[in-house]
Amino acid sequence: MNLALLSAFIPTFFFVSITPGMCMTLAMTLGMTIGIKRALWMMFGELIGVATVATLSAIGVAALLLNYPNVFLVLKYLGGAYLAYIGIQMWLSKGKMAIKMESEEEPASRIDLISQGFVTAIANPKGWAFFVALLPPFLDATQPLASQLIILISVILMLEFSCLLIYAAGGRTLKSLLLQSGNVRIMNRIAGTLMIGVGAWLAIG
């Protein structure tokens, strides 16, 4: 791996990752409602999605998909509608993602959380466009592609995971502040509004 390219790659992708977006908003929302520990399952799914998008972008598949935007429509709309539905449930203090005043409902399953993260990452056309534009310039044509991809995607995933943790921790802090006043319903409405926003962002972005 060309160290000069790598030294430029790390701050570039950290800056892009830390910028607020759908996945970061989702991490903050889940950190707020279900806590960082359980939100890790969503992060796991999101990282699988990011790794998939980065890999396909690097080998040129993403460029083909971007020429046929209808490929994304079903995932965009279904994924956006799903997240908006969860947001409405949270706003009403219902569903598995909401903060419960009484713990009668089962929490969201790991599969639900992994799927939520994966769909949010994979169905975001802006994410594909971002990787198509920025990843190839950091690949050295004189070096083996596979080993470079392993290094770069590993760095991407570490940076992305760090940023997701930062946002989830911010959500948990916000929850602690609001729950000091016992405002569980307000907390659910804030989280639900954010989730509905993520769903709309995914569907129409």
Side-chain angles (χ1 to χ4, degrees):
M1 185 74 208
N2 187 314
L3 293 180
L5 287 177
L6 187 61
S7 64
F9 178 85
I10 292 174
T12 299
F13 271 76
F14 177 77
F15 176 77
V16 172
S17 292
I18 200 67
T19 302
M22 286 191 297
C23 293
M24 297 304 151
T25 304
L26 182 59
M28 184 175 68
T29 302
L30 295 186
M32 189 185 302
T33 57
I34 63 174
I36 295 176
K37 186 175 181 180
R38 286 194 56 74
L40 289 173
W41 292 105
M42 181 283 295
M43 296 180 198
F44 177 65
E46 195 267 349
L47 292 176
I48 294 174
V50 168
T52 301
V53 172
T55 302
L56 294 179
S57 298
I59 62 177
V61 174
L64 175 64
L65 293 176
L66 286 173
N67 289 326
Y68 299 92
N70 288 336
V71 172
F72 291 105
L73 289 181
V74 173
L75 271 178
K76 275 167 55 70
Y77 293 142
L78 289 180
Y82 172 64
L83 294 178
Y85 169 76
I86 292 174
I88 292 170
Q89 291 287 91
M90 293 167 72
W91 205 90
L92 297 173
S93 296
K94 297 179 180 180
K96 296 179 179 180
M97 301 288 185
I99 303 169
K100 302 297 186 299
M101 289 175 277
E102 298 178 4
S103 57
E104 69 274 2
E105 288 191 52
E106 294 182 3
S109 70
R110 294 174 180 178
I111 296 299
D112 287 340
L113 293 170
I114 292 171
S115 300
Q116 192 176 32
F118 180 79
V119 169
T120 302
I122 205 76
N124 180 12
K126 291 181 181 178
W128 290 83
F130 163 73
F131 280 111
V132 166
L134 288 186
L135 189 56
F138 290 100
L139 296 173
D140 188 344
T142 65
Q143 302 294 330
L145 179 62
S147 59
Q148 291 183 82
L149 282 178
I150 290 172
I151 294 171
L152 292 180
I153 292 175
S154 296
V155 171
I156 289 171
L157 296 183
M158 286 189 289
L159 294 173
E160 186 79 1
F161 181 60
S162 299
C163 295
L164 288 169
L165 284 177
I166 291 170
Y167 274 82
R172 183 184 61 180
T173 300
L174 181 58
K175 174 183 176 179
S176 299
L177 292 174
L178 289 178
L179 289 184
Q180 287 176 1
S181 303
N183 294 322
V184 175
R185 191 175 299 278
I186 292 175
M187 190 72 247
N188 279 329
R189 289 184 175 181
I190 291 173
T193 300
L194 288 172
M195 187 69 78
I196 292 169
V198 172
W201 193 350
L202 181 60
I204 67 177

